[in-house]
Amino acid sequence: MDTNQYIEVFLDESREHLQSVNDNLLKLEKQPEELTIVSEIFRSAHTLKGMAATMGFEDVASLTHQMENVLDKIRNGELVVTTEVIDVTFSAIEALEEMVESISNGNDGKKDVTELVSKLEKIENGSSTHELHESTPSKTSDTLFEMDEYQSTIISQAAEQGYQVVQITVQLNDDCILKAARAYMVFEKLENKGEIVQTIPSVEEIEEGNFEQDFSLLMVTKETNTDIEKVIHSVSEINQVEVSEFTLEKANNNEKQESKPESVTPDTNTEAPQGKQKQSKTIRVNLERIDNLMNLFEEVVIDRSRLEDLAQKLKEPELTETIENMTRVTEDMQGLMLSMRMVPVEQVFNRFPRMVRGLAKELEKEINLEITGADTELDRTVIDEIGDPLVHLIRNSLDHGVESPAKRRESGKPEEGNVSLRAFHSGNHVFIEIEDDGAGINRDKVEAKAIENGLLSAEHSEVLSDEEIYQLIFSSGFSTADQISDISGRGVGLDVVRSKIESLGGNIIVESEPGKGSKFSIQLPLTLSILSTLLVNVQDEIYAVPLSAIVETMLLDETQIMSVQGQKVIDFRGKVVPIVSLREIFDVPRQDESKEENAVVIIHKGDKMAGLLVDSFIGQKEVVLKSLGNYLRDVFAISGATILGDGQVSLIIDPNALVK
Amino acid sequence: MENYMKVIVFTLKGQRFGVDVQQVISIEKIQEITKVPRTSEFIKGVINLRGETIPIVDLKERLEIEQTESSPNNRFLIVQVEDVQVGLIVDSATDVLDINTDAIQPAPKMIGGVQEVFLQGVAKLESELLIMLDLGRVLDLEQTNEIKEIIE
Amino acid sequence: MANILITDDAAFMRMQMKDILTKLGHQVVGEAENGQDAVEKYQELQPELVTMDITMPEMNGVEAVREIKKINPDAKIIMCSAMGQQGMVVEAIQAGAKDFIVKPFTPDRIKESVEKVL
């Protein structure tokens, strides 16, 4: 079957499931008793297996299959969750990720998984001895039924009562996989046609699927042979059915064997209740398609401006109105299209918990990773590029930042180190911070190294502040580790991190306090970002204030404004809050003297507040944040611009700059 | 062998100037400018150009040429120098000329009231002198930033 | 040719199944992504045949078979299972599923199953 058309979907879903297994494994490690998590993992592994098998990626399928076996045992209480189980499963997931990536790069996704499979098998068999592993198939070619007395009696009586005894041999298709279930279906069909006296192999073995492709049974029935054949053939995957008359003489010479017929008891495995999984209504769209859409859209916009010109010339009210409407709609469309490119930084962050877990083990450190702001959105392009620098910084924090448990105990810190990974919006940028509570940066070491490497002269170093010295670690060829460790010393320094971030139009700084820890802050441009804002009027101009910074809006009476040491303040819920007039700050010419500035937007930065005096509020609006471009960098209190529905550019205020 | 370059010709206070066509993205009609506070005087603000915000520089102010009355012929000349896109306000923009690069000569200290630093050279054509602008210099960010720092 | 409802939580699997069934000349009248969804769509679309994945969120395939059988005791349901789900398959058959197919699917196998069930 041509599967190429599905490969994208396959890859996307595989990655999704691997991620989910990843997340759930981490959860499971914390709550090993929680079987619903096991079920979740099982389900993902299971889906992966099915997909991989369909696509012909056999290594993926066989590894997931073995994972599934282990998980199934855990789910059924036959195996307990141990660190070993989690570790091996993690390695399996890693291998699977590699294979999936290999497939996505156009390779065949092949990988030698025998070692992992055998490790999993070991776990699977280790604690449960009664499990029949790959059992020796029973021989059924010589179908010789052996009768005990009871069975002989039934048969002879049946014959007397006009029943016939038939020997049935059913051969399943060679590719039939769930043989037991198939056999069960055959039994089910036969059940109301007569009584099954005996089977070869035994019912138990058939139930376990321990037979090659065929099994035989002895049955007392009134149906004709052809009818029985027909009934059995109504089941799928039946290759061949032989029905023949059976006489006691045929079995007489055989030894007795304990084998009693009984109705087939079904396996009563029931799945643990599925955890509620959020089902978001999404579809997958190739990024390229969105870009194509954008390009086409640009053309529409160009035609739109032509139409606008025409409308101006023709002065046809209906035409003008239509085009105005079209302009509004297209602006909205544009906003939507841009927002389609935005993805939560979660996509990058979610691989870190496992990485940190693995590294911590390797380094024999105890580390708790705290992630906040994973829902912060960044443009897809930035997301794709930011992963590696972050990996490097986190490795760095774990390796050089957080101390060994012993050392931490000595310095009176909890043995478990803390690494925080944060993402948030501020002004024109998205910030990503990596903070640890480790040893901090050793100024003397950095200084010495920098002087040694010729990055700095001894005289010059004296005048530099600690902060300035710390930034030297991003210089090319710099490494403070006394010895190159396996974790962060992979031949690339933080200079690579810095240049990568700079190539994305961002920058990186480090803050540190000896003994307390370090914080790396990455500032990334919001090339495209949707922001909720409040639009306000200042004279004829419209400014947008980010909703996230707004505490409240209110209308003021002249009398409520007081003056403290020349600074206008108001009393806001018992707090003295300074008031700044946007008109004055932005030097907006006063065109309309009658306009009274009596509307106040209370904004905050941390727990500090300020009131922005404006003329009036226009309303709330989701806007696409746009940079002012490279020409206008660092404009005071302006974090960017946005284009309003009427095509007018409106500036977005950076509240941080206005709260002192 | 003669080398030709295509040049966009525009006018400022009656004088004709030229810029390399490769630096020009488009020529747009004048539209409403949103002021950006606390920036240099010659930065008039930003416009919306097909969904992107483009800063607008009044080229006459930048080159310290006297102002002229606005006319329907005024245009934004959208130019790109390295990674910077800017719209320049010009009195009019009409011609595209092929100029023999050999005809471009170093500029004198001051020509057409424009300082040498902004000039790439002067192209001697049959009936006129065309002043070739060095857009990189015109848009020099260092100078812009200096001015901004003074304001702040 | 029959009207068929496909149930699987993996869009990928649904696509494959739909493709195969369509090529066999059947009409896929709906796709459900979990058991609950399948039960609702069954009621709404009244398909002649349902394909049912076993492990799914919300409601698994076996439960869905039971629910659908409550709506229509004659409902024709084919289970789609993977290796190693013997127990669940048997349970589904007991609940009234007419047949099962094992992933990876082959068009031939699906053809056989659909023909036998209808």
Side-chain angles (χ1 to χ4, degrees), chain A residues 420-424 431-435 519-522:
Chain A
S420 307
L421 180 60
R422 284 184 285 265
F424 58 92
F431 287 86
I432 299 179
E433 294 179 349
I434 296 134
E435 187 173 8
K519 179 164 93 180
F520 289 86
S521 305
I522 301 171

Side-chain angles (χ1 to χ4, degrees), chain A residues 314-331:
Chain A
L314 296 174
K315 303 216 182 318
E316 187 70 52
E318 276 185 57
L319 178 64
T320 312
E321 200 183 307
T322 312
I323 290 167
E324 275 169 7
N325 191 37
M326 179 181 162
T327 305
R328 270 193 301 277
V329 173
T330 44
E331 293 295 347

Side-chain angles (χ1 to χ4, degrees), chain A residues 304-564:
Chain A
R304 189 189 69 199
S305 12
R306 289 204 189 121
L307 282 173
E308 279 165 356
D309 281 354
L310 275 177
Q312 247 177 352
K313 275 188 209 137
L314 296 174
K315 303 216 182 318
E316 187 70 52
E318 276 185 57
L319 178 64
T320 312
E321 200 183 307
T322 312
I323 290 167
E324 275 169 7
N325 191 37
M326 179 181 162
T327 305
R328 270 193 301 277
V329 173
T330 44
E331 293 295 347
D332 286 351
M333 277 170 67
Q334 184 175 35
L336 279 173
M337 271 183 252
L338 292 180
S339 71
M340 279 192 246
R341 287 183 54 91
M342 302 297 289
V343 279
V345 73
E346 191 177 5
Q347 289 201 0
V348 181
F349 280 11
N350 56 20
R351 67 191 212 217
F352 294 137
R354 191 182 81 209
M355 188 187 97
V356 167
R357 179 188 178 276
L359 282 179
K361 281 209 158 176
E362 215 174 295
L363 292 164
E364 295 176 342
K365 289 178 180 177
E366 285 170 38
I367 286 158
N368 173 42
L369 176 70
E370 203 180 310
I371 293 182
T372 48
D375 54 350
T376 308
E377 291 194 329
L378 270 169
D379 186 76
R380 177 64 188 254
T381 340
V382 181
I383 293 276
D384 287 347
E385 298 292 321
I386 198 67
D388 289 345
L390 288 181
V391 166
H392 197 92
L393 289 170
I394 292 175
R395 282 171 177 276
N396 189 73
S397 285
L398 261 60
D399 198 9
H400 305 313
V402 178
E403 316 90 324
S404 66
K407 209 166 184 187
R408 290 180 65 88
R409 210 168 35 235
E410 262 173 48
S411 2
K413 291 185 190 177
E415 287 186 13
E416 188 183 57
N418 209 65
V419 174
S420 307
L421 180 60
R422 284 184 285 265
F424 58 92
H425 262 161
S426 178
N428 200 11
H429 296 95
V430 164
F431 287 86
I432 299 179
E433 294 179 349
I434 296 134
E435 187 173 8
D436 65 66
D437 63 350
I441 299 174
N442 184 330
R443 176 185 167 128
D444 297 339
K445 261 194 190 173
V446 175
E447 217 173 74
K449 195 95 178 186
I451 293 170
E452 187 190 316
N453 292 357
L455 295 166
L456 197 64
S457 68
E459 304 84 61
H460 188 200
S461 75
E462 282 167 24
V463 300
L464 291 181
S465 69
D466 286 355
E467 295 300 309
E468 284 164 319
I469 293 283
Y470 295 155
Q471 312 314 318
L472 290 171
I473 62 174
F474 298 115
S475 309
S476 136
F478 195 92
S479 169
T480 49
D482 292 332
Q483 59 195 46
I484 291 180
S485 78
D486 209 24
I487 307 299
S488 52
R490 301 202 172 197
V492 282
L494 289 171
D495 58 319
V496 177
V497 171
R498 187 184 62 178
S499 46
K500 185 81 199 177
I501 289 167
E502 283 177 353
S503 77
L504 294 171
N507 63 53
I508 178 166
I509 54 161
V510 61
E511 294 162 56
S512 182
E513 207 177 320
K516 293 266 174 68
S518 314
K519 179 164 93 180
F520 289 86
S521 305
I522 301 171
Q523 188 183 17
L524 291 167
L526 267 185
T527 40
L528 308 159
S529 174
I530 306 289
L531 204 63
S532 285
T533 61
L534 174 71
L535 298 184
V536 298
N537 260 335
V538 178
Q539 296 290 320
D540 288 344
E541 292 170 17
I542 296 172
Y543 288 91
V545 186
L547 228 48
S548 58
I550 297 179
V551 181
E552 204 172 307
T553 57
M554 54 198 283
L555 293 175
L556 277 188
D557 242 321
E558 198 75 28
T559 55
Q560 286 173 277
I561 302 178
M562 298 165 286
S563 185
V564 176

